[in-house]
Amino acid sequence: MTTSIPAGRVSAHGEESALVQEWLRKDLVRVREALQSLVAQPHSRIEEPIAYAVEHSGRLLRPTLVLLSSYLLAEEPGRRTHRRVIEGAAVVETLHIATLHHDDVIDNAQVRRGRPSVNAKYGTATALLTGDYLLARCMQGAAALGRSHLLAMAQTLADMCVGQMLESSRLHDPFRTEPEYYAAVSGKTARLLRTAASMGVLGGKPEKGAQAALESFGNDLGMAFQIWDDILDICSTETGKEPAKDILNGVYTLPVIYAVQDSPDVLLPLLSAQPLSADRCRAVVEAVQASGAITRAAEVAQRYTANALLAVESHPATAAHAPLVRRCLRDLVGTFASRHPALGALRDATGPGPGPEAEDRSPAA
């Protein structure tokens, strides 16, 4: 049976929160080790580009989601996480890294996470082949977890491709609609986070409906994360990517869609002149920022975040530990929110929910 947090016990609550953070830190070390093992290959001549991709794998958002989802089902915080959960997290991250290789080739991106992309450093052919190799290793890892997980990863990859193709079908289209944007994002981004969250069941036999709750949790977080990323592409110079790259590539995301709705007389003439010059791109960014589009997009992300948390707070199998996961998500949201004021509202969406968590909140929380 799962344990819950007693009401009115601030110190115990804080201790459990710290325990989860340490639990997560140790498990992410194990995930990195499993990732290195999964993608290892016997030929030293091709080791460098693969190592280059994997050794700088960012903040491990997707493995973190696998782990947090498994913690929601844990009998008690801090118990050693099952090996299959760790392996599932490595499989998910391998798929993510592989798709980044292909994305950078498609976009001709020269920078990834603040350093040269694989295609910029090693060339397009090596980047494509490295991505293909990582996809193959991902599927091998999924097969080792069982037939259902292999099928899930294969369907995830298919859905990601569909999402990317939907996005590509509307490049440089200033009349791209909000539903078209959501359809693309649900495939290219949210689908993998949905799969990542579902991997939380690898640690045991969950109660009926628990996997569906985790999938809803992951899907809605994925939608929110993509919207945040799209806002930061326009507003931040601290993302490790070229600023306003989406606009230059003709990918008009939710903030741009809203800005076109609000100020068509300003945006449509700017976006209709292709290719978009650097000066016109700056003008588009300024127009988007001057409109209410950033705040509107942030509010949508906030709703998705709230729905994600509701999915796990309302299911009996996951409700007991949901407050602890909420705190971890709040820390993660803080890394986004610090980059633009409009994202500050998102921290409220991951703030303490109803019950003991809200009652025990200290001013410093």
Side-chain angles (χ1 to χ4, degrees):
M1 180 178 296
T2 55
T3 58
S4 59
I5 302 169
R9 291 185 57 189
V10 179
S11 60
H13 182 67
E15 288 173 4
E16 281 203 296
S17 181
L19 176 63
V20 170
Q21 292 289 354
E22 179 63 13
W23 191 11
L24 181 61
R25 186 192 66 79
K26 290 180 178 179
D27 279 347
L28 286 175
V29 171
R30 294 175 63 196
V31 170
R32 289 190 185 277
E33 292 172 350
L35 181 60
Q36 294 285 352
S37 177
L38 178 60
V39 305
Q41 47 71 46
H43 303 289
S44 59
R45 293 184 64 181
I46 62 171
E47 181 178 7
E48 185 177 336
I50 296 170
Y52 184 81
V54 172
E55 289 173 1
H56 298 81
S57 50
R59 61 183 180 271
L60 296 180
L61 169 63
R62 288 147 194 85
T64 296
L65 187 54
V66 175
L67 295 170
L68 291 179
S69 296
S70 75
Y71 300 168
L72 284 168
L73 300 174
E75 293 187 358
E76 60 183 80
R79 178 173 291 184
R80 183 173 174 82
T81 302
H82 198 287
R83 171 185 55 81
R84 284 169 55 81
V85 175
I86 301 297
E87 292 172 352
V91 165
V92 166
E93 185 65 9
T94 302
L95 177 56
H96 174 58
I97 297 171
T99 59
L100 291 183
H101 280 53
H102 292 161
D103 286 348
D104 286 345
V105 170
I106 292 169
D107 297 339
N108 193 29
Q110 301 300 297
V111 178
R112 168 68 64 180
R113 293 175 178 140
R115 65 189 191 128
S117 61
V118 172
N119 51 296
K121 187 175 178 66
Y122 298 102
T124 299
T126 297
L128 283 173
L129 289 169
T130 301
D132 290 346
Y133 172 81
L134 292 173
L135 285 177
R137 298 299 283 173
C138 164
M139 295 306 165
Q140 284 182 312
L145 295 172
R147 182 175 182 272
S148 64
H149 296 290
L150 174 60
L151 292 175
M153 292 306 298
Q155 186 60 57
T156 298
L157 178 57
D159 290 344
M160 292 173 72
C161 291
V162 169
Q164 189 63 57
M165 292 168 71
L166 288 173
E167 180 175 278
S168 298
S169 72
R170 287 292 180 264
L171 292 180
H172 304 289
D173 184 356
F175 298 102
R176 187 187 189 194
T177 67
E178 196 173 346
E180 288 171 341
Y181 169 82
Y182 293 139
V185 170
S186 68
K188 76 166 198 170
T189 301
R191 185 60 173 91
L192 183 54
L193 270 75
R194 172 184 162 188
T195 299
S198 74
M199 290 284 190
V201 304
L202 284 167
K205 296 181 179 180
E207 295 180 24
K208 183 179 181 180
Q211 183 166 346
L214 291 177
E215 288 181 354
S216 294
F217 172 60
N219 181 79
D220 286 347
L221 276 184
M223 297 296 290
F225 284 149
Q226 184 61 60
I227 295 169
W228 298 345
D229 196 58
D230 291 341
I231 293 172
L232 292 173
D233 179 72
I234 295 171
C235 298
S236 178
T237 59
E238 302 173 5
T239 60
K241 296 185 288 187
E242 300 169 50
K245 187 68 175 177
D246 285 338
I247 293 175
L248 285 170
N249 286 333
V251 181
Y252 301 149
T253 57
L254 192 61
V256 177
I257 291 170
Y258 282 156
V260 170
Q261 293 174 2
D262 295 340
S263 307
D265 294 343
V266 176
L267 269 299
L268 288 177
L270 290 171
L271 295 172
S272 296
Q274 297 294 335
L276 200 64
S277 67
D279 287 342
R280 281 185 175 268
C281 183
R282 281 192 292 270
V284 170
V285 169
E286 290 170 2
V288 172
Q289 292 177 340
S291 72
I294 298 296
T295 299
R296 285 180 66 189
E299 288 170 350
V300 174
Q302 185 178 13
R303 290 196 295 272
Y304 272 114
T305 303
N307 288 339
L309 292 167
L310 180 62
V312 293
E313 289 171 344
S314 60
H315 194 281
T318 54
H321 298 321
L324 297 179
V325 170
R326 178 183 280 269
R327 286 198 165 217
C328 291
L329 290 175
R330 183 176 173 83
D331 291 342
L332 182 61
V333 168
T335 66
F336 285 91
S338 64
R339 296 174 184 170
H340 192 272
L343 295 178
L346 295 173
R347 285 175 291 198
D348 297 334
T350 53
E357 172 83 1
E359 296 171 8
D360 293 349
R361 183 181 181 183
S362 67

